[in-house]
Amino acid sequence: MSPIRIVVVDDHQVFADALGVLLGTEDDLEVLAVARDAEKALIAAEELRPDVVLMDVDLPGMNGIAATRRMLQTSPGTRVIVLTALMDPEVVEGAAGAGAIGFVSKQRAADDLLGAIRAAARGEEVFRTQDLHVLWNGRVTGPERQRIFDLTSRELEVLQALADGLSTQEVASTLFLSRRTVQGHVQSILTKLQVRSKLEAVLYGLRHGLVRLKPTPA
């Protein structure tokens, strides 16, 4: 099997170098390039067509969110994971709106990052419910139920399961549905909420009180 081809985008040399060393120890991962700014990242993505891009938000000149939006216009097959030092709701929502498949805190353990890269390469959304707790603590407003968004009770169940961090197959098993049926519900949710990804749907649902986060373990 071919390795997952990665471009790292970060202007902090020490962090980028450490990330390159970490990824280089994994047989199924290959770092194609390290870009220090958005312009170099866009050139690398267009020329190399990586599977996954690790995109820092705070870059000189064009920021990582704008770079993600432009990158996915020219390299739509690339999956972008946004790296963020601070868990800022506006940053994460902006990244999801730009088309990023997920986000990872720079403070996460190496194993978490490696798992996120492999999940992104499979086309899965990348986020942890623990990180969503940090983002949305105290920010969720009153519910705007299907009266506004016209989501069915089953679609709300599926959206809640996604907010709980379940994959499509796990949602299917939990709700006793086929994978194809779950995919149909997800597509309907995206259409009704006018969003492009499961991550964006979860963020939208949290902001409008359509779903709730489970309490974190004590």
Side-chain angles (χ1 to χ4, degrees), residues 1-12:
M1 181 180 295
S2 299
I4 299 169
R5 303 163 71 250
I6 303 165
V7 167
V8 176
V9 186
D10 199 296
D11 66 325
H12 293 87

Side-chain angles (χ1 to χ4, degrees), residues 150-165:
D150 197 31
L151 295 184
T152 67
S153 59
R154 180 61 88 184
E155 287 166 353
L156 285 169
E157 285 183 307
V158 170
L159 185 59
Q160 180 62 62
L162 296 176
D164 292 339

Side-chain angles (χ1 to χ4, degrees), residues 41-121:
L42 292 171
I43 293 171
E46 188 166 4
E47 291 181 349
L48 301 174
R49 303 290 177 175
D51 301 307
V52 176
V53 170
L54 301 178
M55 178 76 73
D56 189 21
V57 174
D58 296 319
L59 297 171
M62 185 190 309
N63 66 32
I65 293 174
T68 295
R69 183 174 290 106
R70 283 185 54 183
M71 182 177 291
L72 294 178
Q73 290 172 350
T74 58
S75 304
T78 295
R79 280 75 180 249
V80 177
I81 300 174
V82 168
L83 301 176
T84 177
L86 298 175
M87 298 302 288
D88 186 321
E90 291 185 4
V91 168
V92 173
E93 286 186 292
I101 200 167
F103 64 96
V104 173
S105 167
K106 286 187 173 183
Q107 279 71 48
R108 277 172 60 172
D111 287 346
D112 286 340
L113 178 58
L114 296 174
I117 291 170
R118 292 173 178 125

Side-chain angles (χ1 to χ4, degrees), residues 121-158:
R122 295 192 298 266
E124 298 174 12
E125 313 293 306
V126 177
F127 62 90
R128 297 192 314 169
T129 53
Q130 296 97 315
D131 292 335
L132 293 179
H133 272 283
V134 174
L135 286 167
W136 261 266
N137 184 28
R139 293 185 70 250
V140 179
T141 58
E144 299 181 44
R145 307 304 293 184
Q146 56 265 51
R147 178 180 62 83
I148 296 176
F149 298 102
D150 197 31
L151 295 184
T152 67
S153 59
R154 180 61 88 184
E155 287 166 353
L156 285 169
E157 285 183 307
V158 170

Side-chain angles (χ1 to χ4, degrees), residues 16-26 31:
D17 290 346
L19 195 53
V21 170
L22 169 67
L23 301 180
T25 63
E26 301 296 312
V31 178

